[in-house]
Amino acid sequence: GIVDFVKHLNHAKKPIHEPPILIAGTREFESRGNKVSVDVEIALQYNESYNEAVFSFANNINTVEGGTHLVGFRTALTRSLNRYLAGQSKNGKTPVESLSGDDVREGLTAVISVKVPQPEFEGQTKAKLGTTEVKGLVETLVYDQLGAWLEEKPAVAKLITAKVVDAARARAAARKARDL
């Protein structure tokens, strides 16, 4: 499945944690009076590189330009890590400024797959998913499950947060150097 795909994508890199994190679930929304089920499956793994490798699929079609499912994933990833770090700083750890989306995606390899009945794509090439309800469904699923996963695995969460905090500090230092 997609966990093996993420492992394959990271085969030449040094992962920070094993195995990749799997987030999966089915969410429903109402469309034209009918209940519509959307299957969401996401695998993600951080590695020691600085590059982001995120692949998104809708009904097994590679949405190279992303779309609503990718936007929901990115939003939830940033919110989850910011919430986790805020909780850690309340427990006596050093506080950190809010992380940006670029910070949390540095060194991330992820595969996002959604199965949507009657998907709406933007353009003829089906390169971007446009079904607006999918954003919220993916966002809530990732936010809930990733937040719980970070709480259950504090050792791995510490490794991931150390990487993203370093990225945030590097970004701040680069901005300060540009300003000088």
Side-chain angles (χ1 to χ4, degrees):
I2 64 171
V3 171
D4 291 329
F5 188 26
V6 168
K7 286 180 182 177
H8 172 73
L9 293 170
N10 273 340
H11 79 279
K13 300 174 183 118
K14 188 170 185 227
I16 290 179
H17 59 91
E18 285 284 349
I21 302 167
L22 177 66
I23 298 168
T26 301
R27 291 288 196 259
E28 291 184 344
F29 69 93
E30 200 161 307
S31 173
R32 298 182 195 105
N34 298 324
K35 284 211 180 274
V36 178
S37 290
V38 176
D39 292 328
V40 180
E41 196 175 12
I42 300 169
L44 61 121
Q45 186 176 42
Y46 281 90
N47 58 59
E48 291 183 353
S49 77
Y50 300 105
N51 301 328
E52 170 190 3
V54 178
F55 298 91
S56 59
F57 297 87
N59 296 354
N60 294 332
I61 299 168
N62 187 1
T63 51
V64 292
E65 293 178 17
T68 54
H69 54 322
L70 182 60
V71 172
F73 168 73
R74 287 179 169 173
T75 303
L77 180 69
T78 305
R79 281 182 52 217
S80 293
L81 288 169
N82 273 321
R83 183 186 71 179
Y84 182 78
L85 282 171
Q88 294 303 303
S89 66
K90 287 179 188 166
N91 296 339
K93 313 266 190 320
T94 57
V96 68
E97 67 179 66
S98 185
L99 301 169
S100 76
D102 290 335
D103 299 333
V104 300
R105 292 191 309 268
E106 186 174 289
L108 174 69
T109 301
V111 176
I112 304 158
S113 175
V114 294
K115 303 273 192 304
V116 185
Q118 305 298 314
E120 296 170 13
F121 290 100
E122 294 178 13
Q124 287 292 319
T125 58
K126 297 184 178 181
K128 188 172 187 179
L129 181 66
T131 309
T132 55
E133 294 86 0
V134 173
K135 177 188 180 288
L137 301 176
V138 170
E139 193 173 330
T140 55
L141 182 75
V142 172
Y143 185 73
D144 295 343
Q145 288 192 17
L146 184 60
W149 191 92
L150 291 168
E151 296 293 337
E152 291 169 8
K153 304 214 177 358
V156 178
K158 187 176 179 183
L159 295 171
I160 292 171
T161 54
K163 175 154 182 72
V164 298
V165 167
D166 286 346
R169 288 186 180 137
R171 177 180 52 87
R175 183 179 58 236
K176 200 177 279 186
R178 270 195 314 270
D179 291 346
L180 294 175

